[in-house]
Amino acid sequence: MNLTPLLSMKTLSERFARKRLRLKKPGLIARLPFNKRDARKSMNLAYYVAQSRNLKDFGFLQDEKRRIGTPRWDYVTDTLTRFKNRGYLGSSVSGYILNKIYRKNAAMARGEIPFQKTSNILSLVARQEMLLLAYKRVKRNRGAMTAAEIADADTRSRYTPEQKAFDERKHAFPDGIRLSDFDSASFLILKGKYPWGSSRRIWLDKPGSNKKRPITIPPFMDRVVQEAIKMVLTAIWEPYFEVMNRSFGFRPNKSTGDAITALTSLRSQGLYMAIEGDIQGAYDNVPKKKMISQLSQKIDDKKFISLMTRRLNYDYVDESGRQRPCVGLPQGGTDSPLLWNIHLHDFDLFVHNQLQSEVERINDRIPSKGVRYKPRQRAVSKINYLEKELDRTRERIKSGTVPLPEIRVLRERRFDLMGKIRSRRKKVLEMPYFDPNSRNIRIFFVRYADDWVLLSNANRQICEKFKSLIKDFLFNELGAVLSVEKTVITDIRYGCAHFLGFELRRHKRGRLMYMKKGNRRMLTRSPGLLVYASPDRQRLISRMHSKGFCELDGFPKAVPWLSNLETFIIIERYNASIRGLVQYYAGFVGKSDLYRWVYILRFSCLKTVARKYSSTISKIYKRFGTSLSSSTYKTISVKVNVTVNGVTYEKEWKLLTFEEAYAASVKLRLKNTLSDRFWKIENEKQVGGYPLKKDAPCVTHENFLDYIHWVSLRTQAAFAMPCCICGHPGPVEMHHIRHIRKTAYRDLEKRTFLQVMALRNRKQIPICKNCHINVIHGGRYTGPCLGKLIRIDEKLIDNRILHVESYVKPGKEYFGKDIEEKGFRVKNLPRNFKLDFED
């Protein structure tokens, strides 16, 4: 009986994959299981579907923007003009103080002035401007609308009247926040009575593994205060991190590329033993008293230390109830990554000082430094003897005085000598120049958050001693536990070390090559024994399999739930994966190391499109193929037409080839730039000078003061606007919504106010208390005509209330990019249609 038809497609694909693995030699196999639910979630399909539907309705959406546009109102214009004038004449007091703190600590970190603790910083944290700047940063975070928990009854019973009034107004998420809330928070911080709220703990999947990690979500106002604290602590500690130049995780203007650039620099030349370290339960085991003492080392402000003591004494609610841990940092607070770096800075200093002293002590015990390796010297002497013997044999053959039978013997001896010399010379290249037991031991250390790598040229026994010293220091001084499973010692000449998605390797004795010496070509090895990086193959194949792009052995396959989408959406989704992959690795690994992984994504896309049309890849190439004569640029493309005001526009979606993706990525991330930055810090102790980021100015730039003032004005201007529904000029509160980019405009018909915010591309708008409660949350708003909700004698507001940024500091227009800026080109024009520049 044939049971094949009864088997599911999934069972058949797994059976074929196992059969293919049996036929092939054992190779790279994915270790993560495939879960369809998690794979669909990671694709973010709702966003691509919504954007594609809105793209086809581009003309309709432009008409809707004009239809709901409200008349101008002089009050809004006057308010915006006032803030604009302040921008040209005013200055940011908070930014000036932050910049002063940063420059003072930078001078102390470089040793230019004696060390002195920073004082009087609580008043800076409590400034309304600082809290508004923190609000500007936090409100756009991905989890800003995630609700927290309320404090327990016992805690609320001990509140003062001011604390009770603030707790009633305190928001678990940003919807309904007012300017008076920042004034109340500022007052309570200065009085030392700020009521830290309770958090909610959830468990999220850890990418690349089957484990879960806890995320603790504090109330929104607590996140605002934590962000203000983070801005101040960054100004104090960032110069010390920068001068040390060994920690690159969760720091402004730093990335994984900086860590890999440091590991593959000349600092690692000649190092081949790697100790891969990972701290188990990093955030959950931080001793709170130790954390406070570390903050006190550079801060002389008892009120601020008291604020941080109460901040670390947090509680959270999970499935088991309310908990108040004795140790640990809440993984989810905006300031937690910086506090973790401050905590681990002592570890960086330990490696830089105590462990380096241990290395020097071991070097002092070595009796003879720089002694030539005697076996190599004897081998070289033997080669020199054989070469002289070869020269004498050649001279006797060329002399012409030797009888013919003896010449035959000499020729055989000549070939025998040449073979011996060649084999012995190759063995000499494998031998070290100096005695391995007499060389100077060196170490080089790099850390990224809780992952770190220590490179050395010591033997395994000494590396085990280094590992033991590090383990004892972390446990005794910092209360951290070194993960036994993930902390391994690897000789990267024969294996590889894993760090941040990269494999770290080193050639055993350099690359063999031939060099010309006179008329002869001699076999030698290239100079330089640097560490080089390549993609972590096991991690990549496991993740691609878990997301459904390939089988267990990396064989590409179609993604069924993508085949129901339109072709250009499928191409756009795969292009996003290809860009992300190549941009992460390009410039840090060899170009050929990425071929296989881009191949898997490209052919998975082709198979998905073929599944959509119940066809084959060859037929898909015939239907959508471009550049079919070139094996390098052969791909598929789809064109989409959109009609706006009678004009037809066309845009082409093309599946990226490897060359196109790599060329674009190299322009974005150049390793040379990061290498120059690394050596300037190493040699010149350069601090700061990084480019400013939009809406998140960091104190590490000389133009920080000017830019942070613009951000401060934009934030204050939003709270100075009247209600966007009724036009009431009194105090307003911000209405926040979750992101609506994952929902098409036409799907928001039953929630019409969301349509208005979608058209205006805003997640926060100012609304008076009455409209917020009765109109928005009361469900009275039923259409885009805002004038129906106000009296006839009142005037509507200006649309600029929702895009204050473009008015205070001129930028993009309200309507944003037009259709041609989105990549569309005119395909045909209607009759009697004239462009603006035509007569």
Side-chain angles (χ1 to χ4, degrees), residues 277-305:
D278 183 81
I279 298 175
Q280 184 177 353
Y283 284 77
D284 297 334
N285 297 320
V286 176
K288 297 180 181 181
K289 291 184 178 180
K290 179 66 177 179
M291 187 76 253
I292 294 299
S293 67
Q294 289 172 322
L295 292 175
S296 302
Q297 290 175 2
K298 291 182 173 60
I299 296 175
D300 185 15
D301 190 337
K302 293 182 179 180
K303 292 183 178 180
F304 178 80
I305 297 299

Side-chain angles (χ1 to χ4, degrees), residues 496-515:
C496 63
H498 303 275
F499 188 63
L500 303 177
F502 290 84
E503 292 179 355
L504 302 177
R505 299 175 181 271
R506 205 206 78 173
H507 291 294
K508 184 179 179 182
R509 284 290 167 192
R511 186 170 56 89
L512 281 174
M513 57 185 296
Y514 281 96
M515 288 185 64

Side-chain angles (χ1 to χ4, degrees), residues 771-788:
C771 291
H772 194 200
I773 296 176
N774 298 325
V775 179
I776 301 301
H777 293 293
R780 285 185 54 210
Y781 186 83
T782 58
C785 185
L786 303 180
K788 293 181 179 180

Side-chain angles (χ1 to χ4, degrees), residues 375-391:
R376 189 179 190 279
Q377 286 183 302
R378 289 195 294 268
V380 172
S381 300
K382 185 66 175 177
I383 291 174
N384 293 335
Y385 170 77
L386 292 175
E387 286 180 343
K388 291 179 181 179
E389 186 69 22
L390 179 62
D391 291 339

Side-chain angles (χ1 to χ4, degrees), residues 59-71:
F60 169 72
L61 296 180
Q62 292 297 97
D63 294 338
E64 285 288 287
K65 287 180 180 181
R66 294 179 176 86
R67 185 172 69 86
I68 68 170
T70 52

Side-chain angles (χ1 to χ4, degrees), residues 156 159 161-171 181:
R156 292 198 303 271
Y159 281 168
E162 295 88 354
Q163 290 176 318
K164 289 181 179 178
F166 179 75
D167 187 64
E168 292 176 358
R169 283 289 309 149
K170 191 174 181 181
H171 299 278
D181 295 333

Side-chain angles (χ1 to χ4, degrees), residues 547-714:
K547 293 181 178 181
F549 293 132
C550 64
E551 302 287 355
L552 287 170
D553 60 345
F555 190 78
K557 68 176 183 179
V559 180
W561 56 87
L562 290 179
S563 60
N564 299 325
L565 306 177
E566 296 192 40
T567 308
F568 77 95
I569 304 178
I570 299 174
I571 294 176
E572 179 64 23
R573 180 62 191 85
Y574 275 95
N575 281 346
S577 298
I578 294 173
R579 288 192 198 98
L581 171 72
V582 178
Q583 287 177 10
Y584 186 78
Y585 289 105
F588 305 106
V589 302
K591 186 176 179 180
S592 59
D593 292 334
L594 299 175
Y595 281 146
R596 177 183 182 183
W597 314 110
V598 176
Y599 165 83
I600 291 175
L601 293 173
R602 278 176 48 81
F603 271 80
S604 176
C605 178
L606 293 172
K607 289 188 175 185
T608 303
V609 176
R611 182 186 178 102
K612 174 181 177 62
Y613 293 99
S614 302
S615 182
T616 61
I617 293 180
S618 59
K619 292 180 180 179
I620 291 299
Y621 269 125
K622 290 181 181 179
R623 183 172 179 178
F624 302 107
T626 61
S627 304
L628 298 179
S629 60
S630 172
S631 59
T632 303
Y633 296 100
K634 180 180 178 181
T635 186
I636 60 173
S637 66
V638 178
K639 296 180 179 180
V640 177
N641 296 329
V642 174
T643 302
V644 180
N645 297 329
V647 182
T648 302
Y649 296 86
E650 185 179 70
K651 182 178 179 180
E652 182 182 28
W653 271 265
K654 181 188 293 185
L655 178 63
L656 284 174
T657 63
F658 176 81
E659 294 295 335
E660 292 170 343
Y662 191 82
S665 300
V666 169
K667 293 178 182 178
L668 293 175
R669 300 186 65 174
L670 295 176
K671 185 180 178 182
N672 293 336
T673 304
L674 300 180
S675 181
D676 293 342
R677 182 191 301 173
F678 173 78
W679 285 110
K680 282 184 178 180
I681 299 173
E682 287 286 293
N683 300 329
E684 304 172 12
K685 301 299 180 183
Q686 177 179 327
V687 178
Y690 295 98
L692 290 170
K693 294 184 178 180
K694 182 181 179 181
D695 292 334
C698 187
V699 73
T700 58
H701 194 275
E702 58 184 3
N703 297 328
F704 163 73
L705 287 177
D706 297 333
Y707 199 82
I708 199 173
H709 183 51
W710 286 116
V711 178
S712 177
L713 285 180
R714 295 204 301 262

